[in-house]
Amino acid sequence: MATSKVNKKVFDSEEALTTVKDLRTTFDSGKTRSYEWRISQLKALLELTEQKEQEIVKALCNDLDKPPLETVAYEISMLKNSCKTAIKELKHWMAPEKVKTSLTTFPSSAEIVSEPLGVVLVISAWNYPFLLSLDPVIGAIAAGNAVVLKPSELAPATSSLLTKLLAEYMDNSSIRVVEGAVDETSALLQQKWDKIFYTGNGKVARIVMAAAAKNLTPVVLELGGKSPVIVDSNSNINLQVATRRIIAGKWGCNNGQACISPDYIITTKDYAPKLVDSLKTELESFYGKNPLESKDLSRIVNSNHFARLSKLLDDDKVSGKTVYGGEKDESKLRISPTILLDVPRDSLIMNEEIFGPLLPIITVDKLEESFDVINSGPKPLAAYLFTNNKKLKEQFVKTISAGGLVINDTTLHLAVHTLPFGGVGDSGVGAYHGKFSFDAFSHKKAVLYRSFFGDASIRYPPYTKTKMRFLKALMTGGLLAIINAIFGKS
Amino acid sequence: MNNNSLELEETVKELGQYFKTGKTKSVTWRKNQLQAILNLVRENEDAISKALYQDLGKHPVEAYRDELGGVEKSAQNSLDSVEKWMAPTKSNIPLLFFPAKGEVLPEPLGVVLIFSSWNFPIMLALDPIIGAISAGNVVVIKPSDQAPACSSFLANTLPQYLDTNAIKVIEGGGDVCEQILLHKWDKIFFTGSPRVARIVMTSAARNLTPVTLELGGKCPAIFDHLSNPSDFKMAVKRIVGAKWGICSGQACIGIDYLLVEEKYSSEVIELLKKFIRKFYGDNMVESRVLSRIINKQHFERLCNLLKDPLVAASIVHGGSIDETNLFIEPTILLDPPLDAEIMTEEIFGPLLPVITVNKIQESIGFINSRPKPLTIYAFTKDDTFKRKIVAETSSGSVIFNDTLVQFLCDTLPFGGVGQSGFGRYHGKYSFDTFSHEKAVMHRHLCLEIEPRYPPWNKFKLEFIRLAYRLNYFGLVLHMLGLKKHN
């Protein structure tokens, strides 16, 4: 059983090459293709998640001060569900898909066969370090691949726990964890992978994709963006419920450090004060009068991000705009839930993904303007709308381009396995969850079966006018045209 | 179109603005454009054939069969199906989230860039354009400068039929490509060689632009022993027709080399020779049935493959060249050295190495020790062997007992894996490749679940556990205070 002893050996290009070679040997042996192997690994992951819950909760506490309930709800339970879905559906996912063939290729039969890509690399993020490491790994395993997981070094307790647990529970000949930071990641990126799955930010995503380009490796990039919330003043929404859902999505998700957290709100000028009041009331009922001390909120991950967020608050352009919160405790890396009202569009806080407990509110005269506000920026990973107005909902769905949209709630679509989870434009490439994970790590091979019966001589030279006529009919006409062609009519 | 970089910038900007007006999203617009492509192809058959003959010496039947007919079929299919493809797909939402509705809605990506290659310069330009248009995008098409007559044709004719605000042709060579790649695109669709694909993808990485790369590879044909003489004859006919009848072997899914058991190799070669003579006659230039090599550069490349003395020694048929007319005779080689360039690089020409193995099953290992090809062809009636090939090899596609027809089957995804590319198109896959599948979830503001919110306690934790397990009964008991929790 491998232990998490400190390994002084440097993980360089040579080590990375050896790792990939080992995994490729395993993959080439065909071991990971069998249904039995895949199920055994998925079950092992499930067991790991069930048996080590306390250790996982502890690691996330260390890394992020994540409230145990959040860990259980968002990391552990979601991962368990993902495992169970894969175990339940795998046979069905692995089955070839029969495909209709047309008259043009008669007689023939065809199917699409899913096959593993080979040896894949999963690079995970620090904010949901357990879920975002293992959820993609579930997809990779279900699809029959060998996997290297590179957890984020910014969540070190989880990273070393993953190393220990995966070594203990999983097949080490095909599933490995490589810990480290920039150097180790670079060493990994120099190797030839059959797929790279990256969760993180746009800057590193560009480096990953450029590295992938050298080997023509396909990628999935799960990034982020500024996920907006539009709150409609005019349709008599239940403001309390709406507010609670916004809070749950923002501060209830790792204290705003989540890719699909509501980033900012857009509402009309006259409604804003009402919204602010509602937010204040509900925030207090959730986190008490001293939210800086609340045990139900994660802390900021590290001093770099703390400084980054402080800078957003210190920006001259937002001075005087804070209407709630704004308290900081640098020693504990804590920032209290903060609301800013009427921030200028060119402020720092409106020009980068916040990824923290600050919630700016933008006001507009007419709610329709909110669509232009959103569409004038990069496409976000998610966008939210609270309204009872059917027409507004339709407009929203039609006009706003984002990874995913939720109406009258926030972030929930993450938990629905029948919806593809991924971005568009700057928020990413590709999608996963449920069967989409299986597909993301598979090659869909087209297989066409033909027989030796009935060869069309029109295929071969010498080429004549008759053949040309028949060919045209065969390709674009239906049965009638073919019959016509046979009898010499054009 | 002037290749001035300022003009290019203007073009891209205009396209983006036009896309933002939403005009290209309407089903009417899409259908009009698809109909326009149909009209273009039908009304310009002669002009297109002429351009193809000029660029590649393609016979009109080949031009129709491999290019025009395909475009027509694709455009008609898209026209008939686009409305269906545009419709959202319902997703089942677990009861836990009741009341909720989920769906996946396809939407256009925006401003897309298509690079087409020179070997099927009409088909490989228009077919991706059909996909891009049916998905509601605006398009820039950059045809290959190595097929200049076709490139000109597209530049002159597309504006006469299509919405010039939405579809633009940019002509030029490598320097123009470089310029184009400096801009931000919402998708890049590239057909061509792995070398250029790397450049395209590296460029795309700067803007996180998704790409589809349709490349090639050495597509092998496994030729198992066929005891029925008419099957054997038909198989050879199909191989000959596919190798030399399609742009003289200059096709990404063309047969690159043959794998056959040693004891049958002479039989196979004899029959290959027979059909070559039957189809292409003795004077290939005059018969005008074979395409010529695209240009001097590729002609020299192919000649060089034959210069290696060991390779030259393995020629068993053909080998003669006509430098003036850029023709290379259909050539068969028997067991050239495996480390020669002809066996390590994609041939893309009328040279067919026949590689012999002891037992045909060895073909699998042979193929697996090389980069994954776009297609594997296998001529066999052995069902066990067929299953083995499908299960143990990896390629874009596998075709049994025929060649090339997969290109016409628009219910099958067409694309590569590994070095032969990634992404796919044809039929609905074209529509999908140029779309973003947006997840949409609808909820209501009634029926609130209290345990969703802090402050956290044991009760809420247990509730959430049960909820995740979709243990509805347990949830009810829990709410009623009747469930024991640890």
Side-chain angles (χ1 to χ4, degrees):
Chain A
M1 175 175 132
T3 58
S4 55
K5 65 174 190 280
V6 175
N7 194 346
K8 287 274 187 252
K9 191 172 183 194
V10 167
F11 187 89
D12 56 9
S13 275
E14 218 179 289
E15 279 292 308
L17 184 61
T18 312
T19 304
V20 175
K21 264 199 177 133
D22 286 347
L23 261 61
R24 204 163 282 290
T25 308
T26 309
F27 180 75
D28 287 344
S29 75
K31 184 181 191 188
T32 63
R33 287 174 181 248
S34 77
Y35 174 77
E36 290 70 30
W37 179 87
R38 304 184 202 194
I39 289 289
S40 75
Q41 295 306 293
L42 292 170
K43 287 190 169 155
L45 255 178
L46 192 56
E47 236 179 75
L48 177 166
T49 315
E50 283 169 350
Q51 291 171 357
K52 300 293 174 179
E53 189 177 293
Q54 283 317 304
E55 287 186 50
I56 298 166
V57 168
K58 192 155 166 246
L60 280 156
C61 225
N62 279 344
D63 284 333
L64 289 152
D65 252 344
K66 203 174 264 203
L69 187 135
E70 265 193 59
T71 302
V72 170
Y74 296 131
E75 304 234 28
I76 295 174
S77 296
M78 280 197 57
L79 192 78
K80 274 200 220 171
N81 256 17
S82 195
C83 263
K84 286 181 185 166
T85 303
I87 290 169
K88 180 163 165 249
E89 303 287 330
L90 188 61
K91 253 216 165 84
H92 170 60
W93 292 349
M94 281 174 74
E97 185 192 327
K98 286 253 169 286
V99 160
K100 258 170 53 180
T101 54
S102 70
L103 205 58
T104 316
T105 54
F106 180 85
S108 61
S109 71
E111 60 185 11
I112 300 171
V113 173
S114 296
E115 56 177 35
L117 289 164
V119 182
V120 308
L121 173 64
V122 173
I123 301 176
S124 155
W126 56 258
N127 56 339
Y128 286 83
F130 186 75
L131 179 69
L132 298 178
S133 295
L134 295 181
D135 207 2
V137 168
I138 287 173
I141 290 174
N145 300 280
V147 193
V148 168
L149 168 65
K150 159 67 190 73
S152 171
E153 70 277 17
L154 298 188
T158 311
S159 179
S160 57
L161 182 63
L162 283 167
T163 305
K164 173 172 151 229
L165 293 180
L166 261 62
E168 192 181 317
Y169 282 80
M170 314 293 287
D171 171 11
N172 290 332
S173 71
S174 42
I175 299 157
R176 299 268 174 94
V177 182
V178 171
E179 292 194 78
V182 177
D183 290 338
E184 289 78 5
T185 309
S186 303
L188 286 169
L189 286 174
Q190 279 168 24
Q191 309 311 314
K192 182 178 187 315
W193 303 94
D194 296 305
K195 183 109 188 188
I196 300 178
F197 187 107
Y198 170 78
T199 307
N201 65 63
K203 183 164 146 277
V204 177
R206 283 167 172 81
I207 297 170
V208 170
M209 189 169 165
K214 295 205 181 82
N215 292 305
L216 298 173
T217 300
V219 299
V220 171
L221 306 172
E222 294 273 331
L223 312 177
K226 292 184 77 60
S227 301
V229 184
I230 302 176
V231 182
D232 180 16
S233 46
N234 258 340
S235 59
N236 231 340
I237 57 168
N238 183 331
L239 185 56
Q240 190 194 36
V241 173
T243 308
R244 288 173 157 210
R245 290 179 180 181
I246 292 172
I247 296 174
K250 177 77 171 186
W251 295 282
C253 283
N254 209 21
N255 211 7
Q257 300 166 105
C259 52
I260 46 169
S261 261
D263 188 278
Y264 66 100
I265 294 183
I266 310 177
T267 191
T268 49
K269 281 192 163 59
D270 21 298
Y271 198 66
K274 223 175 151 200
L275 179 58
V276 172
D277 280 336
S278 180
L279 280 164
K280 285 183 184 176
T281 310
E282 297 305 321
L283 275 168
E284 201 172 301
S285 82
F286 288 6
Y287 303 116
K289 285 199 190 300
N290 198 354
L292 203 60
E293 311 275 313
S294 170
K295 289 264 163 281
D296 290 335
L297 285 167
S298 300
R299 68 156 204 262
I300 308 303
V301 66
N302 61 24
S303 47
N304 279 347
H305 281 274
F306 185 91
R308 181 183 64 78
L309 289 162
S310 298
K311 208 165 146 215
L312 297 181
L313 284 177
D314 295 339
D315 180 14
D316 282 335
K317 298 207 169 96
V318 303
S319 90
K321 303 286 184 188
T322 304
V323 293
Y324 180 86
E327 289 128 30
K328 301 186 270 182
D329 182 341
E330 195 167 348
S331 62
K332 296 202 177 111
L333 290 177
R334 289 202 163 258
I335 298 178
S336 68
T338 302
I339 304 173
L340 303 94
L341 178 58
D342 259 329
V343 299
R345 304 268 290 278
D346 60 350
S347 53
L348 283 174
I349 203 172
M350 281 310 295
N351 282 290
E352 62 175 70
E353 185 177 3
I354 296 167
F355 226 71
L358 320 176
L359 181 68
I361 301 177
I362 304 276
T363 57
V364 290
D365 290 316
K366 287 218 278 290
L367 205 66
E368 283 70 26
E369 293 168 47
S370 56
F371 293 164
D372 291 328
V373 172
I374 299 170
N375 283 341
S376 67
K379 298 177 184 182
L381 188 52
Y384 308 109
L385 169 67
F386 285 91
T387 187
N388 284 326
N389 180 332
K390 187 160 179 256
K391 220 162 167 248
L392 192 63
K393 289 182 192 180
E394 282 167 15
Q395 266 275 79
F396 177 70
V397 171
K398 203 172 114 178
T399 327
I400 302 295
S401 184
L405 304 177
V406 185
I407 293 176
N408 290 331
D409 213 321
T410 59
T411 68
L412 274 191
H413 61 303
L414 188 82
V416 178
H417 283 151
T418 49
L419 287 173
F421 185 79
V424 63
D426 284 305
S427 51
V429 171
Y432 74 129
H433 284 182
K435 182 167 190 286
F436 302 102
S437 293
F438 176 86
D439 292 344
F441 287 100
S442 298
H443 166 55
K444 301 287 179 175
K445 184 161 75 178
V447 183
L448 183 63
Y449 298 88
R450 290 262 294 161
S451 72
F452 291 109
F453 169 80
D455 206 15
S457 68
I458 56 158
R459 289 170 64 164
Y460 311 113
Y463 298 132
T464 61
K465 275 203 163 67
T466 314
K467 285 190 181 181
M468 179 66 136
R469 201 165 55 227
F470 195 21
L471 184 68
K472 283 190 178 179
L474 190 64
M475 290 199 67
T476 57
L479 194 54
L480 208 57
I482 295 172
I483 293 171
N484 275 337
I486 294 173
F487 291 108
K489 299 194 183 108
S490 199
Chain B
M1 173 116 205
N2 194 329
N3 304 328
N4 185 305
S5 71
L6 216 62
E7 225 180 277
L8 180 58
E9 195 161 332
E10 265 308 303
T11 303
V12 179
K13 208 162 135 212
E14 279 165 18
L15 282 165
Q17 281 164 354
Y18 192 68
F19 178 73
K20 282 205 161 93
T21 66
K23 283 212 177 72
T24 64
K25 290 189 179 184
S26 87
V27 64
T28 317
W29 181 88
R30 301 184 205 198
K31 282 185 161 178
N32 284 341
Q33 297 307 297
L34 292 168
Q35 184 63 55
I37 292 183
L38 268 174
N39 297 341
L40 183 157
V41 165
R42 287 175 182 155
E43 290 164 19
N44 291 280
E45 203 178 300
D46 284 338
I48 294 174
S49 289
K50 209 163 150 209
L52 283 165
Y53 185 75
Q54 221 176 308
D55 282 335
L56 288 149
K58 258 188 213 196
H59 189 283
V61 170
E62 214 187 297
Y64 185 82
R65 186 194 62 206
D66 300 341
E67 304 225 35
L68 288 156
V71 174
E72 231 186 300
K73 192 166 183 288
S74 181
Q76 187 65 59
N77 182 38
S78 303
L79 189 55
D80 296 336
S81 314
V82 66
E83 211 157 344
K84 189 175 64 166
W85 293 342
M86 283 168 72
T89 325
K90 294 248 169 293
S91 299
N92 279 327
I93 308 282
L95 195 59
L96 178 67
F97 299 107
F98 181 85
K101 192 176 78 153
E103 62 188 11
V104 178
L105 181 66
E107 57 174 32
L109 290 165
V111 186
V112 311
L113 171 63
I114 298 172
F115 286 107
S116 64
S117 63
W118 53 259
N119 54 344
F120 295 88
I122 299 296
M123 175 66 163
L124 297 180
L126 292 178
D127 206 9
I129 289 176
I130 287 169
I133 288 175
S134 51
N137 300 280
V138 297
V139 189
V140 164
I141 167 79
K142 159 68 190 73
S144 169
D145 62 334
Q146 294 187 68
C150 289
S151 178
S152 263
F153 172 82
L154 289 168
N156 293 327
T157 322
L158 281 177
Q160 291 171 32
Y161 287 81
L162 299 174
D163 181 353
T164 51
N165 291 313
I167 297 124
K168 303 217 189 254
V169 183
I170 298 183
E171 291 190 89
D175 50 340
V176 170
C177 286
E178 260 178 56
Q179 291 277 338
I180 293 178
L181 286 170
L182 293 174
H183 295 272
K184 184 179 192 310
W185 303 92
D186 295 307
K187 173 96 189 194
I188 300 178
F189 186 102
F190 172 82
T191 306
S193 72
R195 186 188 67 87
V196 181
R198 282 184 184 87
I199 299 170
V200 170
M201 188 172 169
T202 307
S203 253
R206 274 191 272 116
N207 292 307
L208 299 173
T209 300
V211 300
T212 293
L213 305 175
E214 295 273 332
L215 313 178
K218 290 182 79 61
C219 298
I222 302 172
F223 201 146
D224 189 9
H225 175 61
L226 295 163
S227 47
N228 181 328
S230 76
D231 290 347
F232 180 59
K233 219 171 125 184
M234 199 176 286
V236 173
K237 264 174 92 172
R238 288 177 177 177
I239 290 171
V240 172
K243 177 71 182 187
W244 293 284
I246 314 295
C247 208
S248 252
Q250 300 165 103
C252 53
I253 45 171
I255 297 177
D256 190 278
Y257 65 98
L258 217 57
L259 284 158
V260 69
E261 261 180 29
E262 222 257 296
K263 53 184 186 271
Y264 303 118
S265 57
S266 38
E267 217 181 308
V268 169
I269 291 174
E270 279 319 299
L271 205 56
L272 282 167
K273 289 185 191 176
K274 182 170 159 212
F275 279 113
I276 290 173
R277 252 176 255 123
K278 186 165 177 218
F279 292 170
Y280 308 118
D282 287 312
N283 193 333
M284 57 187 180
V285 180
E286 273 180 30
S287 67
R288 291 176 53 154
V289 167
L290 279 170
S291 302
R292 61 154 207 268
I293 307 306
I294 177 78
N295 58 27
K296 220 172 164 53
Q297 184 204 348
H298 278 275
F299 182 84
E300 276 165 15
R301 179 184 64 80
L302 288 162
C303 290
N304 282 337
L305 293 179
L306 298 176
K307 284 211 169 95
D308 179 334
L310 288 171
V311 172
S314 68
I315 296 178
V316 291
H317 179 87
S320 62
I321 60 178
D322 176 346
E323 202 168 336
T324 328
N325 292 302
L326 293 178
F327 267 101
I328 296 179
E329 196 188 346
T331 301
I332 306 173
L333 306 94
L334 178 58
D335 279 324
L338 295 178
D339 57 354
E341 216 176 309
I342 201 172
M343 280 311 293
T344 59
E345 296 295 311
E346 185 177 3
I347 296 170
F348 227 70
L351 321 173
L352 180 69
V354 174
I355 308 292
T356 59
V357 291
N358 278 327
K359 286 216 150 0
I360 198 66
Q361 279 73 14
E362 290 165 30
S363 312
I364 292 179
F366 188 93
I367 294 170
N368 283 345
S369 61
R370 288 165 171 75
K372 299 176 185 181
L374 192 50
T375 308
I376 293 175
Y377 298 103
F379 291 86
T380 180
K381 287 186 111 165
D382 180 346
D383 282 339
T384 312
F385 189 38
K386 285 185 191 175
R387 275 195 292 275
K388 226 172 167 250
I389 292 171
V390 174
E392 293 178 21
T393 62
S394 184
S395 55
S397 57
V398 183
I399 316 295
F400 288 106
N401 297 329
D402 207 339
T403 51
L404 309 165
V405 279
Q406 75 273 32
F407 205 76
L408 296 175
C409 189
D410 51 30
T411 48
L412 281 177
F414 184 82
V417 65
Q419 295 298 295
S420 49
F422 57 80
R424 58 216 187 146
Y425 73 130
H426 284 184
K428 181 171 191 287
Y429 297 105
S430 292
F431 177 88
D432 292 342
T433 219
F434 288 102
S435 299
H436 165 55
E437 306 205 315
K438 185 165 73 183
V440 183
M441 189 175 180
H442 292 256
R443 290 261 296 159
H444 291 274
L445 289 167
C446 57
L447 226 66
E448 187 57 328
I449 310 176
E450 188 57 49
R452 243 182 105 169
Y453 309 114
W456 301 131
N457 54 42
K458 273 204 162 69
F459 177 87
K460 292 185 182 181
L461 180 56
E462 187 55 24
F463 183 94
I464 290 176
R465 265 191 226 280
L466 291 166
Y468 267 108
R469 283 189 218 137
L470 299 183
N471 184 347
Y472 300 114
F473 187 58
L475 275 173
V476 170
L477 290 179
H478 185 59
M479 293 296 287
L480 294 173
L482 295 174
K483 201 174 201 311
K484 277 209 183 79
H485 32 96
N486 12 329

